[in-house]
């Protein structure tokens, strides 16, 4: 009998919590919390929309959707998510479906972990 190994893909996130703290100082805690919650919800929707466009082969829409995430992710300190979203947009614009499939899968992993990390940081207060 042959042995089968299952590899777990795990992505490290790179979240700049200082950006969240700065947001809290500038807006005040209640307003910053509300802004972060709305932005996280919007990012989750954009990740799902980008995924759907990629799966449907709608490369122009996938590129636009991924590009729309970059600035928002950067403002929340989600450095790696912003970089991966830019990579997805680049692959979609270039029409490289193999690279797009890989970066799309990475976007889903990094997005989930980044949103979770921000959520946990919010529980500790921005």
């Amino acid at each position: 009998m042959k042995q089968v190994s299952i590899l777990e893909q795990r992505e490290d996130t790179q979240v700049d919590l200082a950006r969240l703290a700065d947001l809290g100082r500038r807006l005040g805690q209640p307003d910053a919390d509300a802004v972060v919650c709305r932005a996280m919800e919007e990012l989750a929707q954009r990740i799902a929309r980008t995924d759907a466009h990629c799966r449907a082969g709608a490369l122009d829409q996938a590129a636009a959707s991924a590009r729309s995430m970059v600035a928002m992710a950067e403002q929340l300190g989600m450095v790696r998510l912003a970089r991966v979203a830019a990579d997805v947009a680049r692959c979609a614009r270039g029409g490289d479906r193999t690279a797009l499939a890989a970066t799309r899968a990475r976007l889903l992993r990094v997005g989930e972990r980044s949103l979770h990390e921000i959520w946990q940081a919010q529980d500790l207060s921005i």
Side-chain angles (χ1 to χ4, degrees), residues 4-114:
V4 176
S5 296
I6 298 175
L7 303 176
E8 180 182 329
Q9 291 183 325
R10 186 168 166 89
E11 292 285 347
D12 289 331
T13 60
Q14 185 179 357
V15 176
D16 183 357
L17 296 178
R19 290 187 194 178
L20 291 177
D22 183 52
L23 189 62
R25 282 189 296 279
R26 285 186 291 124
L27 299 179
Q29 202 57 52
D31 289 341
D33 286 345
V35 165
V36 170
C37 283
R38 281 193 307 272
M40 287 175 52
E41 183 177 327
E42 182 63 27
L43 275 172
Q45 290 172 356
R46 290 179 189 198
I47 291 168
R49 194 174 314 124
T50 301
D51 180 45
H53 289 313
C54 289
R55 289 178 181 275
L59 301 186
D60 289 340
Q61 292 92 337
S65 183
R67 239 186 351 266
S68 75
M69 274 186 267
V70 175
M72 184 178 287
E74 286 175 343
Q75 288 173 343
L76 291 177
M78 297 177 174
V79 179
R80 182 148 298 140
L81 178 60
R83 188 170 53 233
V84 173
D87 290 343
V88 168
R90 194 171 15 268
C91 291
R93 279 193 316 269
D96 186 340
R97 292 180 185 268
T98 303
L100 179 59
T103 55
R104 179 198 58 81
R106 188 164 188 233
L107 178 70
L108 296 175
R109 291 189 307 269
V110 169
E112 180 181 350
R113 290 188 50 83
S114 296

